Amino acid sequence: MIPDPVIQPALVSYDREQVIELIRTQSPEEIRQRLRAGDFDQVLEPEGRTLLDELLSAWIQRALGPLSLRDAMLVDPYRGRQVYGLLCAIHVHRRFEVPSALAVHLPAAPTDLAALPPPLTDRPELMALVAQAEQDGLVLAWQAQRYDFAPPGNLLELIPPTPPPYRDELRFEQPTGLRRWIAITLVVSGVALLIIPILLGHIPEHPAGWPLALLTLGLMIGIKSGPLGYVGAGCFWVVANMPVFRHGSFPISFWPDIPLVIVGLILLGCDRRVRAMWRFVRSQFRRRCDVAGTD
């Protein structure tokens, strides 16, 4: 088993439920990360921390790191028993070294004890250990070495918790085929209706009319938006064509249009295709910032 400088047999009380919860919910990678962050420095000796780090690193090298501790213990039972003993040592609350004269009345170590045999019940310090363990909901263990604990007999039943349901989020895809050509045609038409009159020296009376309508329609078709997206975009088109939405208008005159803008934002946010496009735009922006080395 694990070499330990302390070989005096002992009775210990430990929180078995916490250890079982670690086995079910934590992975070797997570435990090693907590170990190296110093979470167990106050409860585990330096040699124990070193040994636990080596065992977990060996599992990670064998591609067992992402699995639960329970699965890793099933795949590698030898290291699994060692890791289990170290995790139990982390959750030890009290320890009492048993003299050799009393140790002969105990079963072979390591084992968990439901009660003490009669010759040991006459020792007040041992009975105090048992009483404290019962009060705190702890398990009494009999061990020959500090990191030697009886492994759980129901390892197969310790099923890890069910992972959260997979969120089927849409991913933005570039328009292809006929949809792409329709979107391009609408966008080019909208830009042409806006630019050509300006190049001819004429400023359109309603620049947000047909040009914005064609641009918006081309965008909605390009991302394959749903009905909510079209209605939300229509709300913004209506706001842009309000009589007060003109150059030289005071900002305070726009307040009657704010409810319609809010409705448009809500409808666009409810459209999955619009959200997918927004995630794609943000990811592209972050990628460019990472390449440029800027925030």
Side-chain angles (χ1 to χ4, degrees), residues 10 22 54 83 114 123 125 147 155 201 203 236 245 252 273 293:
L22 284 179
E54 292 176 354
V83 170
R123 301 292 295 265
E125 59 274 19
Y147 307 138
L155 196 58
I203 298 179
F236 282 94
F245 203 85
I252 194 173
R273 301 284 182 177

Side-chain angles (χ1 to χ4, degrees), residues 40-295:
F40 309 131
D41 288 356
Q42 301 299 322
V43 291
L44 200 60
E45 298 79 5
E47 60 271 14
R49 296 197 298 269
T50 301
L51 180 57
L52 182 57
D53 190 285
E54 292 176 354
L55 294 170
L56 295 174
S57 298
W59 272 349
I60 293 172
Q61 291 175 0
R62 293 186 57 188
L64 301 178
L67 302 180
S68 66
L69 286 168
R70 174 256 194 186
D71 294 337
M73 291 171 64
L74 289 173
V75 174
D76 188 352
Y78 176 73
R79 289 191 180 95
R81 180 167 181 173
Q82 294 176 312
V83 170
Y84 178 78
L86 289 162
L87 294 178
C88 290
I90 292 173
H91 292 83
V92 167
H93 286 240
R94 297 185 63 184
R95 177 183 179 87
F96 181 82
E97 295 185 358
V98 179
S100 301
L102 296 177
V104 296
H105 300 286
L106 290 166
T111 184
D112 292 338
L113 299 175
L116 293 178
L120 278 73
T121 56
D122 298 333
R123 301 292 295 265
E125 59 274 19
L126 289 179
M127 294 309 300
L129 177 65
V130 174
Q132 187 66 36
E134 292 178 352
Q135 180 180 347
D136 297 339
L138 306 177
V139 174
L140 197 65
W142 163 236
Q143 57 178 191
Q145 297 179 357
R146 185 176 295 273
Y147 307 138
D148 197 10
F149 287 81
N154 60 338
L155 196 58
L156 288 174
E157 301 175 5
L158 304 180
I159 302 174
T162 304
Y166 174 71
R167 294 184 60 188
D168 187 16
E169 293 185 346
L170 290 177
R171 296 185 61 183
F172 175 73
E173 298 178 357
Q174 299 286 349
T176 58
L178 181 61
R179 181 163 58 94
R180 176 184 180 185
W181 287 109
I182 293 176
I184 291 176
T185 301
L186 291 171
V187 171
V188 171
S189 300
V191 174
L193 287 178
L194 182 64
I195 293 180
I196 291 177
I198 297 177
L199 295 178
L200 297 176
H202 173 69
I203 298 179
E205 184 179 356
H206 298 288
W210 280 106
L212 181 60
L214 294 175
L215 289 170
T216 304
L217 185 60
L219 176 62
M220 293 296 104
I221 292 177
I223 67 175
K224 203 176 181 179
S225 174
L228 294 178
Y230 282 99
V231 177
C235 292
F236 282 94
W237 181 83
V238 171
V239 170
N241 285 273
M242 288 291 183
V244 297
F245 203 85
R246 293 292 183 270
H247 176 70
S249 301
F250 292 100
I252 194 173
S253 61
F254 298 148
W255 72 267
D257 303 328
I258 293 178
L260 191 57
V261 172
I262 294 175
V263 171
L265 287 173
I266 293 175
L267 292 174
L268 288 173
C270 293
D271 192 295
R272 299 177 64 195
R273 301 284 182 177
V274 175
R275 294 200 305 269
M277 181 196 67
W278 178 241
R279 288 194 299 268
F280 173 77
V281 171
R282 285 189 300 175
S283 65
Q284 295 299 311
F285 180 75
R286 291 197 186 101
R287 184 180 302 174
R288 291 183 180 182
C289 289
D290 293 340
V291 172
T294 58
D295 294 334

